[in-house]
Amino acid sequence: MLDNTDKQILYELSKNSRITIKELSEKIHLSGPATSARVAKLEDNGVIEGYTIKVNQGKLGCYIYAFITIITQSTNHQPYLSFIKTQDKYIINNYKISGDGCYILESRFPSNEQLDQFLLDLNKYANYKLSIVISKMG
C-alpha cells in the first residue's frame, strides 16, 4: 500500500523524472538516503516500471497527430498486430480497448500523404475511424 510520501514521490517523478534525489528529498521533506530507499522500493515492487522522456513530435517533423479507432473483421488480430509492429515510426501507442472498436492507435505523421498511405495499408487488415487532433486542451 502506498502512503502519502510514496504518492508525493510518484507525483514529483511524473513531473520530472530527471529530478535529482537531493531535489526530490527537499520536495518531500526526507533525507537523501531515505528518499533514495523509497524510490528503490517503488522500483523493486514494480510501481515504477521505468523512466521516459516526452518528445515534441512537431519538432521532429511529425505535424499530424491522430487517433485511429481500429475495427477488425476477424477474431484473429495477429495480422493487424504484425502490421502495426512494422509501423513504429508513426505509432506512439496501440491500446486494446472495449467499446466502439478493438484498438485505438495514437499516431503522428509528417504529412497527409504519409497518413493516407498508412491508412491504405491499414485497410488490408482492419477498418478504422480517424480523428485528427486540432489542439491539446489544458
Side-chain angles (χ1 to χ4, degrees), residues 10-11 13 17-18 27 30 32 45-46 48 59 62-63 69-71 77 81-84 89 92 97 108 128 137:
L10 294 173
Y11 173 75
L13 288 173
S17 64
R18 292 185 54 152
K27 288 182 180 275
L30 285 180
N45 290 337
I48 296 175
K59 294 203 181 214
C62 292
Y63 304 105
T69 303
I70 304 298
I71 303 113
H77 296 182
L81 293 169
S82 295
F83 167 71
I84 290 305
K89 63 185 169 199
I92 298 168
I97 61 166
R108 289 278 191 170
Y128 61 86
M137 308 304 292

Side-chain angles (χ1 to χ4, degrees), residues 83-97:
F83 167 71
I84 290 305
K85 285 182 184 175
T86 69
Q87 302 298 308
D88 60 344
K89 63 185 169 199
Y90 302 126
I91 307 303
I92 298 168
N93 287 300
N94 179 25
Y95 301 102
K96 187 171 185 176
I97 61 166

Side-chain angles (χ1 to χ4, degrees), residues 19-31:
I19 191 171
T20 66
I21 291 294
K22 182 178 187 276
E23 292 169 319
L24 181 58
S25 66
E26 289 169 2
K27 288 182 180 275
I28 64 169
H29 308 292
L30 285 180
S31 69

Side-chain angles (χ1 to χ4, degrees), residues 101-116:
C102 302
Y103 301 90
I104 289 181
L105 295 177
E106 180 181 7
S107 56
R108 289 278 191 170
F109 296 89
S111 68
N112 281 328
E113 292 78 20
Q114 286 170 300
L115 169 59
D116 187 45

Side-chain angles (χ1 to χ4, degrees), residues 38-97:
R38 288 272 192 142
V39 170
K41 183 178 174 189
L42 289 167
E43 291 169 344
D44 292 344
N45 290 337
V47 176
I48 296 175
E49 294 180 338
Y51 298 87
T52 187
I53 60 171
K54 187 176 177 183
V55 176
N56 183 324
Q57 296 289 326
K59 294 203 181 214
L60 295 178
C62 292
Y63 304 105
I64 300 167
Y65 188 32
F67 287 89
I68 306 168
T69 303
I70 304 298
I71 303 113
T72 59
Q73 300 302 316
S74 166
T75 56
N76 178 11
H77 296 182
Q78 199 53 54
Y80 159 77
L81 293 169
S82 295
F83 167 71
I84 290 305
K85 285 182 184 175
T86 69
Q87 302 298 308
D88 60 344
K89 63 185 169 199
Y90 302 126
I91 307 303
I92 298 168
N93 287 300
N94 179 25
Y95 301 102
K96 187 171 185 176
I97 61 166

